[in-house]
Amino acid sequence: MKLFLTGSFITIIILIVLFSYRQSIFSTTSLPYDDEQQGLNEQITIHFSHVVAENTPKGAAAEKFKELVEEKSNGKVVVQIYPNGMLYNDESELEALLENKVQMIAPTSSKMTNALPNWQVLDLPFIIENNEQLKKLLNGETSKSLLEELERINVKGLTFWNNGFKQIASTSPIVEVEQFKGKRVRVMGSDILHEQFNLLDAKPIAIPFGEVYTDLKDNMIDAQENTISNIFSKQFHTMENHITLSKHGVLAYAVMMNGDFWNSLDAESQKIITDSLDEMQDWQFEQAEQFNNENLTYLKAIPNVKIYELNDLTKKDWKEKLKPIYNHYEKKINNHYLEELLNEKSYP
Ligand code: LMR
């Protein structure tokens, strides 16, 4: 019996020693890195948060940016995209960027106007008439100066992306300007957009994009201004089935990065990022037009969706009602940007 116990004890000790050796429990040297692990140490990850669906101009642009950056950097720079407001909504994404919780966002310019009031110039109604003017504006000097203003809040402004023109979607027709009266209209959080709907005798209510669908369902709002691609991709037309192609405003995205994060990048990675954005700029504008056109075609084919156009007379009425907004911007905010924008759009 004694012999059996001693034998078992010795066997257990041998097994423990063998197992420990295998697991390197007693070893003080760490395992060598293989090539892939070495690569992970140098990898740069850009967490990119946005609030819209993937099948929209911004969603597709984010994907294209990821593809180009990862390809050009041979996988050294990785872009992780978080669409549909899954991380932050449009009220919290700027703060998350400033705190470097995410490194990149692309909010609609209107959402930057509380931090940078001059940006309201891009929200002035009927200032841009067609896609050519819009492209010129978003690639031009006014936009460049606006992006430079981001330095004041320690943010690197990279470029503008486009989502085209805002239209009116509502639960009952809004074509004549009087039909705005008393309507509860969802707006983005921007003073000038509030002012716009006040002038139209409507009741503007600021609501984050991610809550619009539920608020429509709960009958909290009657209308909103948005692009066709945003209306279609979020199925707003299932409740706001009257759509007026007013083209009264533009929806542009300011593509930006946390300033400290940007400054921490090596020159080569910074160049890869700016080169990728430059390379995709024309493509992005074409995509935006295509998304909006295709989505409009789908909407036109849905029997209970009613689409209206503004004739010249009605458009004149809308413009007349909204005229004071220009004085408001020019006198209270910044006449220099307005002048610059008006000049710029009339360049050949
Ligand atoms: C909105 O809030 O309606 C838009 O800014 C959403 C977006 O990012 O296109």
Side-chain angles (χ1 to χ4, degrees):
M1 181 66 180
K2 202 175 167 192
L3 199 64
F4 172 74
L5 282 176
T6 313
S8 304
F9 183 70
I10 290 171
T11 311
I12 289 169
I13 294 290
I14 290 171
L15 282 174
I16 289 176
V17 169
L18 279 177
F19 181 75
S20 302
Y21 178 75
R22 221 182 117 74
Q23 296 296 314
S24 299
I25 283 177
F26 301 133
S27 161
T28 48
T29 53
S30 52
L31 283 172
Y33 271 117
D34 62 23
D35 283 354
E36 263 175 47
Q37 284 169 311
Q38 206 79 45
L40 283 176
N41 268 349
E42 288 163 15
Q43 203 165 65
I44 297 164
T45 306
I46 301 172
H47 298 279
F48 183 173
S49 169
H50 70 79
V51 300
V52 291
E54 284 157 303
N55 58 337
T56 58
K58 181 160 62 184
E63 290 294 338
K64 181 79 171 176
F65 173 71
K66 172 184 167 69
E67 182 192 310
L68 290 177
V69 165
E70 291 181 358
E71 187 188 296
K72 284 181 198 298
S73 69
N74 268 326
K76 182 183 159 192
V77 185
V78 172
V79 183
Q80 294 274 3
I81 304 171
Y82 305 92
N84 288 309
M86 62 194 274
L87 276 192
Y88 299 102
N89 72 12
D90 44 30
E91 281 180 340
S92 56
E93 65 181 357
L94 179 60
E95 205 181 311
L97 182 83
L98 296 177
E99 290 172 6
N100 203 27
K101 288 179 179 157
V102 289
Q103 289 67 49
M104 190 168 177
I105 59 173
T108 301
S109 61
S110 326
K111 291 171 188 167
M112 296 304 298
T113 56
N114 289 332
L116 303 168
N118 290 339
W119 280 50
Q120 293 179 58
V121 73
L122 297 179
D123 278 334
L124 288 169
F126 293 112
I127 202 161
I128 298 294
E129 287 140 50
N130 53 48
N131 280 316
E132 290 70 40
Q133 281 181 0
L134 182 52
K135 189 169 177 187
K136 205 156 42 155
L137 168 69
L138 296 182
N139 290 328
E141 289 306 310
T142 312
S143 298
K144 213 168 137 211
S145 312
L146 292 174
L147 288 175
E148 278 163 12
E149 284 197 6
L150 285 167
E151 281 169 25
R152 283 195 227 153
I153 54 168
N154 193 26
V155 167
K156 171 72 184 170
L158 291 166
T159 193
F160 276 101
W161 285 343
N162 178 33
N163 186 350
F165 288 90
K166 287 183 287 186
Q167 326 286 1
I168 297 290
S170 53
T171 52
S172 62
I174 299 183
V175 182
E176 302 304 326
V177 75
E178 295 77 27
Q179 288 173 311
F180 275 106
K181 198 173 171 60
K183 292 272 184 350
R184 298 164 302 169
V185 184
R186 179 268 167 168
V187 286
M188 294 177 253
S190 149
D191 286 350
I192 202 111
L193 297 179
H194 266 85
E195 181 77 7
Q196 170 182 271
F197 286 104
N198 281 334
L199 287 170
L200 293 169
D201 300 322
K203 291 191 181 122
I205 309 172
I207 298 174
F209 186 65
E211 291 169 26
V212 177
Y213 188 87
T214 321
D215 284 356
L216 267 170
K217 241 178 150 178
D218 294 344
N219 189 28
M220 308 283 282
I221 44 174
D222 307 304
Q224 72 174 297
E225 51 168 11
N226 225 320
T227 59
I228 291 293
S229 65
N230 277 350
I231 294 167
F232 181 74
S233 62
K234 289 291 176 190
Q235 303 287 292
F236 295 144
H237 62 275
T238 56
M239 289 166 281
E240 292 172 324
N241 61 327
H242 297 269
I243 297 173
T244 302
L245 302 177
S246 50
K247 283 178 78 174
H248 64 279
V250 300
L251 202 147
Y253 299 121
V255 183
M256 57 183 81
M257 267 188 196
N258 174 286
D260 292 338
F261 174 77
W262 172 260
N263 291 330
S264 74
L265 295 175
D266 55 280
E268 194 196 338
S269 301
Q270 288 184 344
K271 187 167 166 2
I272 285 171
I273 288 166
T274 49
D275 283 355
S276 301
L277 290 168
D278 285 350
E279 188 178 322
M280 62 182 280
Q281 192 69 345
D282 285 345
W283 174 92
Q284 199 283 317
F285 277 73
E286 281 159 26
Q287 279 282 306
E289 236 183 297
Q290 202 175 319
F291 266 114
N292 283 305
N293 288 342
E294 279 177 15
N295 292 172
L296 182 60
T297 308
Y298 284 127
L299 288 175
K300 282 181 172 167
I302 302 174
N304 80 326
V305 173
K306 307 283 174 242
I307 312 269
Y308 313 94
E309 305 263 354
L310 288 188
N311 65 34
D312 289 348
L313 266 183
T314 320
K315 194 187 259 187
K316 202 162 152 253
D317 291 343
W318 284 43
K319 284 185 175 177
E320 200 56 41
K321 269 284 228 196
L322 290 168
K323 229 178 184 171
I325 210 166
Y326 285 85
N327 288 338
H328 169 83
Y329 183 82
E330 207 169 2
K331 298 224 166 73
K332 294 215 175 112
I333 303 162
N334 186 320
N335 67 345
H336 162 72
Y337 274 126
L338 179 57
E339 257 170 44
E340 196 175 279
L341 191 155
L342 290 170
N343 277 337
E344 200 168 22
K345 85 163 189 179
S346 50
Y347 293 152

